[in-house]
Amino acid sequence: MRTAFLLSTAIACTAVIGGYPTDLSQAVKLRDGKVYFVQPPSLGDVVTTYKETYVWGATYYFTIGLPENAGEPLQRITINQREGVDRVRFDLEDTFAFEGTRSNEGQKLALKDATSDRKTKTVSLTFDPPVSPGRTITIALKPVQNPQVAGVYLFGVTAFPPGEQAHGQFLGYGRLQFYNFGPRFF
């Protein structure tokens, strides 16, 4: 990958110095067919609407920024629970994505596919059409119920460009903390 990146950078610099216009946001595609982002997306805020254990009706928001110079659109996102005592199950039929942030919700984005792999604790969301560079999007995952055990839960987020041999770029961990506030007396 480093060789392909250096080669594409050298070509772009030569074209700019030579006075030729060039599109610096071309994707990196290796000879073996693997496609990479030139500039990968970034993981922004990860928040939940309810931080209490056992709660129903929460939504977990994952905000992702796709830079102008990404070189490729965003085709797929995977969210993998990496830490936390309970396995969080999601209601994928109620899961959705939109342009913007949680506080500035824009147009809804079409999801072609939303799947869950129970064994690997991974949710996979495929956009149709892919999300074009230069946009900020938010994924709203609906858990069936918040975890029953309090503590920190980490979710690894990976982004994929389109293509059969798309290379996933790990964006980081979303961290959610859940609290057990004990019995309530009304």
Side-chain angles (χ1 to χ4, degrees):
M1 179 177 127
R2 181 164 168 73
T3 304
F5 176 74
L6 291 174
L7 181 60
S8 65
T9 303
I11 291 170
C13 289
T14 302
V16 170
I17 292 168
Y20 299 104
T22 182
D23 180 5
L24 296 176
S25 64
Q26 294 179 0
V28 175
K29 185 172 185 178
L30 302 181
R31 274 189 256 166
D32 66 0
K34 286 190 179 160
V35 178
Y36 293 79
F37 291 109
V38 172
Q39 179 68 39
S42 59
L43 180 61
D45 290 337
V46 177
V47 297
T48 179
T49 51
Y50 298 109
K51 294 182 178 186
E52 188 172 359
T53 56
Y54 291 102
V55 170
W56 297 81
T59 303
Y60 303 169
Y61 292 98
F62 294 79
T63 300
I64 297 161
L66 188 59
E68 286 282 345
N69 62 342
E72 282 288 322
L74 174 63
Q75 177 74 63
R76 184 167 56 101
I77 289 284
T78 60
I79 299 173
N80 170 255
Q81 183 183 337
R82 302 273 179 102
E83 192 172 302
V85 176
D86 281 349
R87 180 179 74 85
V88 179
R89 294 179 304 125
F90 293 100
D91 182 356
L92 296 180
E93 289 188 20
D94 283 340
T95 293
F96 61 97
F98 55 88
E99 191 167 356
T101 63
R102 183 177 151 215
S103 61
N104 189 19
E105 190 172 327
Q107 178 181 345
K108 282 207 175 180
L109 300 171
L111 293 174
K112 173 178 145 183
D113 197 23
T115 60
S116 178
D117 184 330
R118 185 177 182 163
K119 190 175 186 178
T120 63
K121 300 185 206 174
T122 302
V123 170
S124 181
L125 304 167
T126 304
F127 297 99
D128 184 25
V131 180
S132 59
R135 296 167 77 183
T136 297
I137 66 163
T138 299
I139 294 165
L141 277 178
K142 300 275 194 166
V144 173
Q145 178 183 11
N146 273 354
Q148 296 179 16
V149 178
V152 173
Y153 287 74
L154 294 180
F155 298 89
V157 180
T158 304
F160 296 83
E164 289 182 28
Q165 295 190 43
H167 176 76
Q169 176 69 47
F170 181 69
L171 307 183
Y173 291 102
R175 181 184 188 277
L176 297 176
Q177 176 136 12
F178 296 96
Y179 301 93
N180 183 358
F181 293 114
R184 294 186 184 188
F185 301 99
F186 298 99

